[in-house]
Amino acid sequence: MTDEELKELIESISLDAFGKPFIHIARFNKRLRTTGGRYMLSTHSIEINPLVLEVHGTEELVGVIKHELCHYHLHIEGRGYRHRDADFRDLLKRTSSPRFCRPLTEGNKRVYSMYVYECASCRLLYKRRRRMDVRKYRCSKCAGEIIALLAVK
């Protein structure tokens, strides 16, 4: 889908769902990473992440477009266009627009190493993401010596 086809789709959705025209710029933006789309307050343009169409298909794309059009029309009218505003939430419900975009990638979660330490006296466990020098620290419960148990990647 090209930017021109995207603009035509947004114009038709705007007329069908909102009964108002969309007269500004619409384009795909490959640099968007964590969001499905965004509405630019200064230029009134709408940018859509092309991954929405590739990963989830046309139905999710239409949902993201409706969401951004809610921002667009409310901002143009001078009403509450932010996510926390009642006007915005009401318009989302009336147009059956999604509040959030489905995740675009599965690999967003970081994998941390886990270090486990134990007090030699009272057996209290300490779980840490960072390695610690056991010679510098003592147990917070009994002041006993701390020993390293294992490091899990």
Side-chain angles (χ1 to χ4, degrees), residues 15-148:
L15 287 174
D16 293 344
F18 298 89
K20 300 171 188 171
F22 175 78
I23 56 173
H24 289 89
I25 297 169
R27 63 180 161 254
F28 284 109
N29 185 347
K30 293 179 183 176
R31 292 173 299 175
L32 296 177
R33 296 271 180 211
T34 60
T35 184
R38 70 177 171 187
Y39 166 64
M40 308 293 285
L41 293 172
S42 57
T43 61
H44 303 295
S45 63
I46 291 178
E47 295 180 345
I48 301 294
N49 189 337
L51 281 178
V52 173
L53 184 60
E54 292 172 22
V55 174
H56 299 301
T58 309
E59 187 175 327
E60 184 72 15
L61 176 67
V62 170
V64 170
I65 290 171
K66 282 183 175 181
H67 178 97
E68 299 308 324
L69 283 171
C70 288
H71 289 296
Y72 172 80
H73 289 298
L74 289 171
H75 183 249
I76 298 278
E77 294 170 4
R79 294 168 52 203
Y81 60 88
R82 295 182 178 158
H83 287 112
R84 65 177 178 255
D85 293 331
D87 289 336
F88 181 76
R89 290 186 184 165
D90 182 51
L91 189 57
L92 283 178
K93 286 179 187 172
R94 283 191 287 133
T95 58
S96 62
S97 304
R99 183 121 187 256
F100 302 105
C101 177
R102 288 183 10 208
L104 297 172
T105 59
E106 292 293 323
N108 284 346
K109 299 194 179 198
R110 284 180 62 181
V111 176
Y112 291 100
S113 299
M114 184 63 80
Y115 298 95
V116 181
Y117 302 93
E118 181 182 45
C119 173
S121 302
C122 69
R123 303 286 185 224
L124 182 65
L125 289 178
Y126 294 90
K127 296 177 183 176
R128 298 287 182 266
R129 287 190 176 162
R130 288 186 174 181
R131 189 180 308 174
M132 65 184 229
D133 187 359
V134 293
R135 295 173 294 176
K136 291 183 179 180
Y137 298 98
R138 305 296 277 186
C139 177
S140 60
K141 185 176 176 184
C142 71
E145 183 182 349
I146 296 177
I147 56 174

